[in-house]
Amino acid sequence: MDVGARLKTIRKLKGLSQRELAKRAGVTNSTISMIEKNSVSPSVSSLKKVLAGIPMSLVEFFAVDTPADQPRKVVYRTDELLDIGSNEVIMQLVGKDHPDRGLSFLRETYPPAADTGPDMLSHQGEEAGIVVQGRLELTVGAEIHILDTGDSYYFESSQPHRFNNPFDEPCVLISATTPANF
């Protein structure tokens, strides 16, 4: 997906100038311009911040339109999962088109040296996950935790947090957040 073109299209549909969106999102006008020109690939936290100025969730941003008259899906095949990650991080959302989702359920892959960006994430709700392959560095508040395969976490998402893979092998984790803000 062309993130820059999609942001530009949505911004224009909402009747916002780059300057107005930047003001609402608390970023610089040049940040919006560089994203729209694909000069930079925004981190998940940066894109969430920009989309908050619209307002729009990551799922709404990345979702493809699906007909409303289709029966409710129960099974989602690997190739049907919506990737809402950025840079090298893959975040595959299960149930993207499920109406009134109460949680976001993700399969996340962090290649070596990949992370969620320099900014700490913070949002309402709760977050939990389990590392199914590799190792992960999780920062919650001022504490840094190293999780090995089989280790898990659970915390209030309003606490500043960040995910990082400083290790030599990819890390795969299964996570859930409430409310469904992805």
Side-chain angles (χ1 to χ4, degrees):
M1 171 184 283
D2 185 336
V3 172
R6 184 144 177 96
L7 178 61
K8 185 175 184 177
T9 299
I10 291 168
R11 176 182 58 77
K12 287 185 173 185
L13 283 172
K14 298 290 185 176
L16 298 171
S17 67
Q18 285 184 347
R19 189 172 309 282
E20 178 62 24
L21 178 55
K23 181 180 173 184
R24 288 181 177 194
V27 299
T28 64
N29 186 42
S30 64
T31 297
I32 303 297
S33 177
M34 289 189 302
I35 292 171
E36 288 185 356
K37 291 178 183 175
N38 290 312
S39 300
V40 296
S41 180
S43 66
V44 172
S45 61
S46 297
L47 186 56
K48 274 186 77 172
K49 187 174 185 178
V50 169
L51 293 177
I54 291 178
M56 174 179 278
S57 72
L58 284 170
V59 169
E60 291 170 316
F61 181 78
F62 285 106
V64 293
D65 296 330
T66 56
D69 59 349
Q70 286 185 348
R72 198 174 275 188
K73 274 183 88 94
V74 174
V75 174
Y76 293 84
R77 304 292 178 197
T78 299
D79 62 345
E80 296 174 318
L81 301 181
L82 177 65
D83 184 4
I84 60 171
S86 66
N87 297 329
E88 296 178 348
V89 177
I90 298 168
M91 294 180 150
Q92 296 172 299
L93 177 68
V94 176
K96 68 177 183 201
D97 52 2
H98 187 76
D100 304 318
R101 280 185 306 108
L103 64 90
S104 294
F105 189 69
L106 301 162
R107 179 180 193 269
E108 303 178 44
T109 304
Y110 294 82
D115 60 33
T116 53
D119 298 330
M120 297 283 273
L121 305 169
S122 180
H123 49 89
Q124 293 303 309
E126 299 174 319
E127 199 158 329
I130 185 167
V131 176
V132 295
Q133 178 187 329
R135 301 175 75 200
L136 182 72
E137 179 184 276
L138 168 64
T139 304
V140 179
E143 294 184 38
I144 297 174
H145 308 273
I146 303 298
L147 288 83
D148 293 309
T149 299
D151 291 344
S152 55
Y153 60 88
Y154 192 112
F155 59 90
E156 296 290 325
S157 302
S158 58
Q159 296 180 75
H161 56 281
R162 180 176 184 269
F163 298 88
N164 179 34
N165 181 3
F167 306 106
D168 295 332
E169 65 178 292
C171 176
V172 177
L173 66 101
I174 305 299
S175 70
T177 63
T178 64
N181 55 5
F182 288 111

